[in-house]
Amino acid sequence: MKVSLSINQQDVQVEVPAYRTLIDLLRAKGFWSVKHGCEDGQCGSCSVIVDGRAVHSCSRLAAQVEGKSVTTYEGFRSDSRYTSLKEALMNLVDLDCGYCIPGMMVSIMALLEANPEPPEEDVKDALRGSRCFCKATLNDLSNVMEAIDKIRGKW
């Protein structure tokens, strides 16, 4: 089946089998920030933004994003506005490997698209869909909230 979508603001048309997942499509296209993790939508390592909403790409078929806009971590990682958020997340999880950072960034970016001034509880909710494999719990979110304030000041 042919699927047309936008990936990081680039229109793409691909031929995929009906059973192909979105994560497999994205990784085949070279978007390596979309990670394999639990494979059942529980860890957030495969998170992407689909039409403004964070979703787990391991539990979506490629055909389900027909005509939609998909944003991966690669879609905004080089934007300097987000450097402080990335650093805050790295500190949040006392970074050992960084495997979870792209999924967490994507989740927070989707939140910020929906609400540029989210309360801390909404940030916690956004991060609940992401799991760090190196660390069982997340630290205080104050540095993440400060990073969000810095981002907001640059919009």
Side-chain angles (χ1 to χ4, degrees):
M1 82 178 4
K2 204 168 256 198
V3 176
S4 298
L5 68 151
S6 171
I7 303 174
N8 298 332
Q9 300 180 344
Q10 297 289 320
D11 290 336
V12 177
Q13 224 180 43
V14 291
E15 188 71 35
V16 296
Y19 59 83
R20 164 106 1 123
T21 59
L22 179 55
I23 188 174
D24 290 335
L25 168 76
L26 292 169
R27 289 182 62 83
K29 290 297 214 176
F31 298 102
W32 301 110
S33 71
V34 186
K35 307 279 201 282
H36 284 283
C38 65
E39 302 300 323
D40 64 4
Q42 299 297 311
C43 74
S45 296
C46 67
S47 293
V48 297
I49 300 171
V50 176
D51 285 348
R53 187 167 174 242
V55 301
H56 297 142
S57 63
C58 71
S59 59
R60 297 275 167 135
L61 294 175
Q64 290 177 292
V65 296
E66 167 66 37
K68 297 184 186 282
S69 174
V70 176
T71 305
T72 67
Y73 175 69
E74 287 90 350
F76 57 82
R77 75 171 174 203
S78 61
D79 189 329
S80 64
R81 294 180 295 177
Y82 307 118
T83 302
S84 61
L85 179 59
K86 182 178 177 182
E87 289 170 0
L89 287 170
M90 292 168 77
N91 291 331
L92 177 72
V93 297
D94 292 334
L95 188 67
D96 285 335
C97 75
Y99 198 80
C100 61
I101 298 299
M104 288 183 178
M105 288 280 294
V106 164
S107 295
I108 292 178
M109 294 310 297
L111 172 63
L112 292 175
E113 281 184 24
N115 179 5
E117 298 187 30
E120 187 170 332
E121 192 58 39
D122 288 357
V123 175
K124 283 181 187 176
D125 284 344
L127 291 175
R128 278 190 187 108
S130 299
R131 184 176 72 210
C132 176
F133 291 99
C134 301
K135 186 178 171 120
T137 60
L138 299 176
N139 294 332
D140 175 32
L141 290 179
S142 60
N143 59 347
V144 174
M145 297 307 292
E146 288 173 19
I148 289 171
D149 286 340
K150 285 181 187 176
I151 292 169
R152 193 178 315 116
K154 294 181 181 179
W155 278 341

